Amino acid sequence: MAKLKTVLEVGTYETRLLTLESVTSSEIRLKKCLSVNTPKDYVASTYIELPIMDAVPVKNNIASLAKGAGLSNESILLLLPDHSSISEMLVAPPRYSKKETEDAIREDLEPIMPLPYDNWYVVHKSLGNYEDDDITYIMAILKNNLLEIGGIVQKTGLNPVAIDTNFLNVANLIEDYLVSTDNKGKNICLVQLGHESTSIGVFKDGLLKTMQNRPIGAYDFTRQISRHFHVSEEDADQFKRNEIFFLPEFSPEQEVQYNYTVIKNVFSVLCREIFNTIELYLTKFREFTIHEIVISGGGANFENISVLLAANLNTPVRRVCDLYQLYANGNAVGDAEKNSLAAACGCFCRE
């Protein structure tokens, strides 16, 4: 099932290196799972070419992980944040030649691209059919940014032979759940709550039909807490872990809970972005309901956030950590790490 045994995830919050021992449809065992904080000099951006302000701290971080794992000249899959690329879904009549397909994709993407089309590396994949139309997933990333981060990684002795983003790898991880008999005919929304952005997609019978990446993430909560309490972002992160913001059960007291009032505006924007993507799906595909929402990523570890998401979106919400087993160095990995590592672990489930 797994062709590559090593994944390097260069996120905007943490940089992680995972090496694989074994993988099945429901269980992943890692030989190594190492992480360091990503330096502020690393910027992943859809809108800026060559955005990494200083390559040296980024290179040193990756080199320290490679040394810790005892790797040299290793072929790896390089995982980047979702907001480093533009992702689009094209639902349109089938094209019967490669040029027709590429022309349709260019017509769809070019108006939303902040830089000229020829500056981008564009890939696409047909996912299936809806009525008489094809559903095509499209991803575009700036060529110079690929060369920049790829070159930095190569200087550490690692060899990136494939580069990808987070969302679809979380879907790889839980594919068996998405296509299970119990979920046949159901609309399941997957929400990848990243550090700086959130990816939202809807699956039916394992087929991705709608997907958007929105500019709000866990960092927006941290920044709001930092500003309100006049503390550093590091202290604000710790505050998020130690203090209560979301109650374990929904009640009217939630609205007057002081910590919640501090981040309420950010949470409202997150809910609105998820709701808008769901509404787009329901309208476009003439569906009536979302049966379940699965949340993953570091943002899913904000304690009890799933409770208030479920109440606001009127849909059951569960965390991705409930859907797979993860072991590292022979030891079971906790729920928080399972949520954060979901995308990287999903890379090992690629066929």
Side-chain angles (χ1 to χ4, degrees):
M1 180 182 290
K3 295 180 180 179
L4 288 172
K5 300 285 188 178
T6 305
V7 172
L8 175 66
E9 180 184 3
V10 186
T12 51
Y13 182 68
E14 278 190 318
T15 300
R16 306 179 180 100
L17 184 67
L18 286 66
T19 61
L20 181 67
E21 179 180 314
S22 66
V23 57
T24 68
S25 60
S26 60
E27 180 184 286
I28 295 173
R29 290 182 175 269
L30 303 175
K31 290 180 183 177
K32 296 281 187 179
C33 181
L34 307 174
S35 68
V36 292
N37 291 333
T38 300
K40 300 292 185 183
D41 305 276
Y42 176 72
V43 178
S45 175
T46 309
Y47 303 100
I48 308 169
E49 288 188 295
L50 305 173
I52 298 175
M53 293 175 280
D54 186 350
V56 174
V58 180
K59 174 180 172 292
N60 290 344
N61 260 17
I62 297 169
S64 71
L65 293 176
K67 182 178 180 181
L71 300 180
S72 179
N73 300 317
E74 183 83 8
S75 293
I76 65 164
L77 187 147
L78 176 58
L79 195 62
L80 301 178
D82 285 342
H83 65 277
S84 65
S85 68
I86 293 175
S87 295
E88 280 290 306
M89 304 293 294
L90 179 63
V91 182
R95 268 68 179 189
Y96 298 103
S97 73
K98 181 179 178 181
K99 185 177 186 309
E100 284 181 319
T101 301
E102 290 175 349
D103 287 346
I105 289 170
R106 180 166 187 156
E107 183 180 348
D108 189 63
L109 281 187
E110 200 161 22
I112 64 173
M113 284 179 159
L115 293 167
Y117 188 86
D118 291 338
N119 292 29
W120 301 79
Y121 179 64
V122 181
V123 294
H124 61 90
K125 181 177 178 60
S126 177
L127 300 181
N129 305 107
Y130 171 71
E131 296 182 347
D132 295 327
D133 291 334
D134 277 350
I135 301 175
T136 302
Y137 175 78
I138 310 162
M139 184 172 73
I141 189 167
L142 286 162
K143 294 175 182 176
N144 282 340
N145 293 356
L146 276 180
L147 293 172
E148 182 183 36
I149 185 61
I152 291 171
V153 172
Q154 283 183 319
K155 289 176 182 177
T156 69
L158 301 176
N159 180 34
V161 297
I163 298 177
D164 207 347
T165 54
N166 288 277
F167 180 80
L168 288 183
N169 284 296
V170 180
N172 287 337
L173 180 68
I174 61 171
E175 181 182 9
D176 282 5
Y177 180 75
L178 295 173
V179 301
S180 66
T181 303
D182 290 343
N183 287 326
K184 186 171 180 58
K186 292 183 178 180
N187 299 307
I188 298 178
C189 180
L190 174 61
V191 178
Q192 165 70 8
L193 292 165
H195 184 56
E196 292 189 11
S197 69
T198 295
S199 294
I200 309 147
V202 181
F203 294 81
K204 185 173 184 180
D205 297 326
L207 173 63
L208 176 63
K209 301 177 80 172
T210 290
M211 185 265 182
Q212 292 189 339
N213 179 256
R214 307 308 303 153
I216 181 170
Y219 175 62
D220 292 276
F221 289 102
T222 300
R223 183 167 50 188
Q224 178 64 20
I225 294 167
S226 172
R227 288 173 176 173
H228 181 85
F229 291 107
H230 304 288
V231 297
S232 68
E233 291 180 357
E234 290 75 14
D235 288 342
D237 258 334
Q238 197 63 40
F239 195 76
K240 279 168 59 179
R241 297 186 187 98
N242 296 339
E243 300 296 325
I244 296 173
F245 288 82
F246 302 103
L247 301 178
E249 294 182 0
F250 180 69
S251 77
E253 294 178 10
Q254 177 68 72
E255 289 296 319
V256 296
Q257 210 275 344
Y258 181 73
N259 287 342
Y260 172 67
T261 64
V262 173
I263 52 93
K264 182 178 180 179
N265 287 343
V266 177
F267 180 76
S268 297
V269 172
L270 176 63
C271 286
R272 185 174 68 242
E273 297 290 7
I274 297 171
F275 176 82
N276 287 345
T277 303
I278 288 173
E279 190 73 7
L280 174 67
Y281 168 75
L282 297 177
T283 302
K284 190 170 188 175
F285 292 96
R286 299 191 294 277
E287 295 283 350
F288 298 100
T289 188
I290 296 294
H291 296 87
E292 184 180 57
I293 297 171
V294 178
I295 60 174
S296 65
N301 292 325
F302 206 160
E303 189 171 5
N304 298 322
I305 192 173
S306 58
V307 174
L308 200 56
L309 281 173
N312 277 262
L313 298 169
N314 196 31
T315 306
V317 176
R318 70 188 310 176
R319 299 187 302 166
V320 74
C321 61
D322 299 331
L323 301 179
Y324 78 112
Q325 298 299 315
L326 179 62
Y327 297 85
N329 301 318
N331 300 314
V333 172
D335 287 350
E337 289 80 8
K338 288 166 69 178
N339 290 325
S340 298
L341 295 171
C345 288
C347 296
F348 296 125
C349 301
R350 297 161 66 99
E351 295 183 353

